[in-house]
Amino acid sequence: MAEEKQNVEVEETAAAPVKEETQPQQDPKEFLENFDWDKYEEGIERVDDNKLKEFETLVEENFVDTADEEVVEGEVVHMTDREAIIDINAKSEGVISLNEFRYNPDLKVGDKVEVLIDIREDKTGQLVLSHRKARTIKAWERVNNAHDKEEIVTGFVKCRTKGGMIVDVFGIEAFLPGSQIDVKPIRDYDQYVGKTMEFKVVKINHEFKNVVVSHKALIEADIEEQKKEIIGQLEKGQVLEGVVKNITSYGVFIDLGGVDGLVHITDLSWSRINHPNEVVDLDQKLNVVILDFDDNKSRIQLGLKQLEKHPWDALGDEIKVGDKVKGKVVVIADYGAFIEVAEGVEGLIHVSEMSWSTHLRSAQDFVNVGDEVEAVVLTLDREDRKMSLGIKQLTPDPWTDITSKYPVGSRHKGIVRNFTNFGVFVELEEGIDGLIYISDLSWTKKIKHPSEFVTVGDTLEVEVLELDVEGRKLSLGHKQTTENPWDKYSDEFAEGTIHKAAIAEVVDKGATINFNEDIVGFVPQRHMEKEDGKKLQKGEEAEFKIIEFNKDFKRVVASHTAIFREQEDRNVKAAAKKRATSSDEAAPTLGDANSQLQALKDKMEADSKKK
């Protein structure tokens, strides 16, 4: 009896309404309605065991088992402000917070929803269900099936994230990389937020529960079919409509409907441009012509300017050699500048045609990009589409009256423009340059390089030495503008003259001495010896005798030794003369010899007598 009472109490706890089911034995709802619980609890009425077993059988056959982790389908039977009452055909109805249905604001009574038993009985005996958990479990099943079967799924783009978008697929937050949104680069990700799109599940990480989807994969599949169709119809010279897909510094990529082609920057316009964005914009629709493609047609070369007539063909016959034209400087190189005289028609002004000067400079010294210039047409070749221009022809040639302006012997002032190892180029005026050889810079200084004497930009006085009109050459001199100091020094420093000076520098073969600002003398090693036998040292002052003076070669050789050696020679000669005089006086005469012989004879005779 106690066991029966316990079974009845269990049924009382799950007091939710029971679905009507027509059974051959007895309707459980009718059974419950007619059951007197008060009598049963008081023990007044006894329920037959067979009836209880019959009721249990009915419950087992009609109510679902509320096991954990099992997803079942339920029906919304009632809704409050906060909760939804769900009938899952169990012993009692369950409740789910409406927060779990935020993705479905249109939820209403009668809708079928998937739920998971969260709590079979809370403290009030209520059955607590979870739609979110059930949805997640089912979502993973659907996602895995979609991945395995390569099915297309529908997802809701929730928000942006680093590198892509977050997409709700079956209630799972999947990642959509930016590179997988579309076949063309995406510049505005926000335009996709809030949209429902179709995707393909491309990767699942079961360990970290990560899902990666792609919208691009669906597009590529369609494009691949279009691409095969388009490639099969491609022909050179064919004009197609395309959309600007990407712009680079070297050209523009055009989407031809699944096939990409490149318009090189040189094929965008007949005029020179610095960047393709000067001609086209992103997503712009335009017509292009097929110029070339490789064997498998994977690299397609397109052209835009070829759809227009070449500017040279439209160039009027009124332009001819010798005409003056105006244009804009579009390109500058070291060798010259390109001038656009009409749209797509350019002429070259070589740097040699920018100035009458024979001293060539860079084109940037004369013009800048963007300058409006006037020039004269020098050559015109319409077949090769080439034109050469000149600026200097706008002014008279300065060499036309050169003989009257710069006759030989005339003196002028010029600006040092350039150096060479052998001389200096001096500009007398624009277009008139002359050369001063290094030997004509100074009368007295020995110059190894012109930079030792002048610097570029210096103003220098010159004299015209030679003039070659046909060769357009001027020979100039600077030293000729002053008197040659060697003319007056030829007497002052003549051979044999003696001068006092100090040793300036000691070198291997001797030493140098500065007699003045112009005259530098050389003392050979053997001529540096002093009277005491020692050598002269740097800074030591002494007298020197000029032993060589050459005006043409500007050579002066001096000797210190010669001064005291000359005195020694004089002393030696005087001593020799004195000795010669003394010898002459002491020499015996013939008479003296006879006298001495006679005396000797007399002495010998006397000695003989004594004996």
Side-chain angles (χ1 to χ4, degrees), residues 552-572:
D552 295 332
F553 294 99
K554 302 179 181 62
R555 177 179 173 85
V556 178
V557 181
S559 172
H560 171 69
T561 306
I563 293 178
F564 66 84
R565 286 277 171 83
E566 187 178 83
Q567 184 63 42
E568 287 180 355
D569 290 344
R570 286 198 295 268
N571 293 338
V572 169

Side-chain angles (χ1 to χ4, degrees), residues 111-361:
D111 286 351
K112 301 291 185 179
V113 294
E114 293 173 336
V115 296
L116 182 74
I117 309 300
D118 200 3
I119 302 176
R120 278 180 280 185
E121 288 185 9
D122 61 6
K123 60 183 179 181
T124 63
Q126 180 66 55
L127 176 64
V128 180
L129 307 175
S130 174
H131 175 63
R132 178 180 57 81
K133 292 181 180 179
R135 190 164 177 254
T136 300
I137 293 173
K138 283 295 183 180
W140 272 103
E141 292 178 2
R142 293 175 182 173
V143 165
N144 280 281
N145 288 334
H147 179 260
D148 295 339
K149 297 178 181 180
E150 297 185 354
E151 295 177 347
I152 297 174
V153 298
T154 301
F156 176 76
V157 182
K158 296 177 65 176
C159 61
R160 282 190 57 178
T161 187
K162 184 178 180 181
M165 316 287 288
I166 298 298
V167 180
D168 186 326
V169 180
F170 304 135
I172 295 176
E173 288 190 347
F175 177 59
L176 172 63
S179 61
Q180 296 298 316
I181 298 176
D182 206 335
V183 290
K184 61 183 179 180
I186 303 300
R187 292 176 290 278
D188 181 17
Y189 283 37
D190 293 332
Q191 63 179 313
Y192 294 95
V193 176
K195 287 187 177 182
T196 299
M197 302 169 61
E198 291 184 336
F199 302 97
K200 183 177 181 181
V201 180
V202 294
K203 186 177 180 181
I204 298 178
N205 188 321
H206 295 279
E207 181 180 356
F208 297 101
K209 298 293 183 181
N210 291 336
V211 178
V212 180
V213 295
S214 171
H215 180 67
K216 176 182 176 181
L218 301 178
I219 301 175
E220 286 178 336
D222 296 336
I223 288 178
E224 193 62 31
E225 294 298 325
Q226 298 177 12
K227 186 175 180 179
K228 292 179 181 179
E229 183 178 352
I230 293 173
I231 287 178
Q233 300 175 355
L234 289 181
E235 294 180 2
K236 293 182 181 179
Q238 186 178 9
V239 178
L240 300 173
E241 184 183 61
V243 179
V244 178
K245 180 178 180 181
N246 191 20
I247 299 176
T248 67
S249 60
Y250 55 86
V252 178
F253 287 95
I254 306 295
D255 183 359
L256 300 175
V259 180
D260 290 348
L262 172 66
V263 182
H264 195 268
I265 186 172
T266 56
D267 291 317
L268 284 171
S269 173
W270 291 113
S271 302
R272 290 181 184 264
I273 58 175
N274 296 317
H275 197 277
N277 57 21
E278 298 176 14
V279 180
V280 297
D281 298 317
L282 283 172
D283 300 327
Q284 178 182 349
K285 288 185 178 181
L286 43 80
N287 291 328
V288 290
V289 61
I290 298 176
L291 302 180
D292 200 1
F293 44 74
D294 56 6
D295 294 337
N296 57 8
K297 299 182 180 180
S298 61
R299 297 173 65 90
I300 305 173
Q301 182 181 346
L302 306 174
L304 181 63
K305 71 179 184 181
Q306 287 79 5
L307 296 175
E308 300 177 356
K309 188 176 182 181
H310 197 288
W312 272 89
D313 298 333
L315 189 65
D317 296 334
E318 63 276 6
I319 296 180
K320 56 185 181 300
V321 175
D323 288 348
K324 293 180 181 180
V325 293
K326 290 184 178 180
K328 183 173 69 173
V329 179
V330 291
V331 175
I332 291 181
D334 289 338
Y335 56 85
F338 288 92
I339 311 299
E340 187 177 51
V341 298
E343 186 176 356
V345 178
E346 297 176 1
L348 171 64
I349 304 179
H350 193 270
V351 67
S352 62
E353 302 298 340
M354 292 183 174
S355 170
W356 289 108
S357 175
T358 56
H359 167 57
L360 297 182
R361 286 170 277 174

Side-chain angles (χ1 to χ4, degrees), residues 390-569:
I391 295 178
K392 71 181 183 181
Q393 288 77 9
L394 297 172
T395 58
D397 186 354
W399 280 83
T400 54
D401 56 350
I402 189 71
T403 54
S404 60
K405 292 172 65 175
Y406 302 101
V408 175
S410 59
R411 294 184 178 182
H412 310 274
K413 287 186 177 180
I415 299 175
V416 177
R417 290 299 186 191
N418 194 19
F419 291 149
T420 67
N421 291 330
F422 53 84
V424 179
F425 283 99
V426 176
E427 185 181 58
L428 301 180
E429 65 174 82
E430 181 70 28
I432 304 296
D433 291 345
L435 173 64
I436 304 176
Y437 282 99
I438 195 169
S439 59
D440 289 320
L441 287 173
S442 174
W443 290 112
T444 57
K445 293 182 180 179
K446 292 183 179 180
I447 303 170
K448 295 181 180 179
H449 192 273
S451 59
E452 300 173 8
F453 189 78
V454 293
T455 58
V456 174
D458 284 354
T459 299
L460 210 60
E461 190 173 359
V462 295
E463 181 177 312
V464 179
L465 303 181
E466 294 180 12
L467 176 59
D468 182 0
V469 179
E470 293 183 0
R472 302 173 77 93
K473 293 181 181 180
L474 267 178
S475 179
L476 307 175
H478 172 66
K479 71 180 183 180
Q480 287 79 3
T481 59
T482 60
E483 184 181 357
N484 187 353
W486 287 86
D487 292 337
K488 63 179 181 180
Y489 292 147
S490 59
D491 295 332
E492 184 180 349
F493 293 93
E495 293 182 9
T497 57
I498 297 175
H499 305 271
K500 194 172 186 178
I503 299 294
E505 293 291 340
V506 177
V507 295
D508 293 340
K509 295 183 179 181
T512 60
I513 51 177
N514 298 322
F515 290 115
N516 55 34
E517 294 181 354
D518 299 325
I519 303 297
V520 178
F522 177 71
V523 182
Q525 189 77 249
R526 66 180 183 277
H527 291 278
M528 293 176 63
E529 186 176 344
K530 297 188 291 184
E531 193 171 1
D532 58 3
K534 296 181 179 180
K535 298 283 187 179
L536 289 171
Q537 300 298 320
K538 182 178 180 179
E540 191 172 353
E541 192 174 53
E543 287 187 337
F544 296 91
K545 183 180 181 179
I546 306 299
I547 59 176
E548 182 184 348
F549 181 86
N550 189 319
K551 182 178 73 172
D552 295 332
F553 294 99
K554 302 179 181 62
R555 177 179 173 85
V556 178
V557 181
S559 172
H560 171 69
T561 306
I563 293 178
F564 66 84
R565 286 277 171 83
E566 187 178 83
Q567 184 63 42
E568 287 180 355
D569 290 344

Side-chain angles (χ1 to χ4, degrees), residues 85-100:
I85 309 302
I86 309 297
D87 181 8
I88 62 170
N89 206 23
K91 297 177 183 178
S92 64
E93 295 170 338
V95 295
I96 299 177
S97 173
L98 289 180
N99 288 334
E100 297 190 22

Side-chain angles (χ1 to χ4, degrees), residues 576-588:
K577 186 178 181 180
K578 185 177 181 181
R579 286 195 298 271
T581 302
S582 300
S583 298
D584 290 343
E585 292 177 354

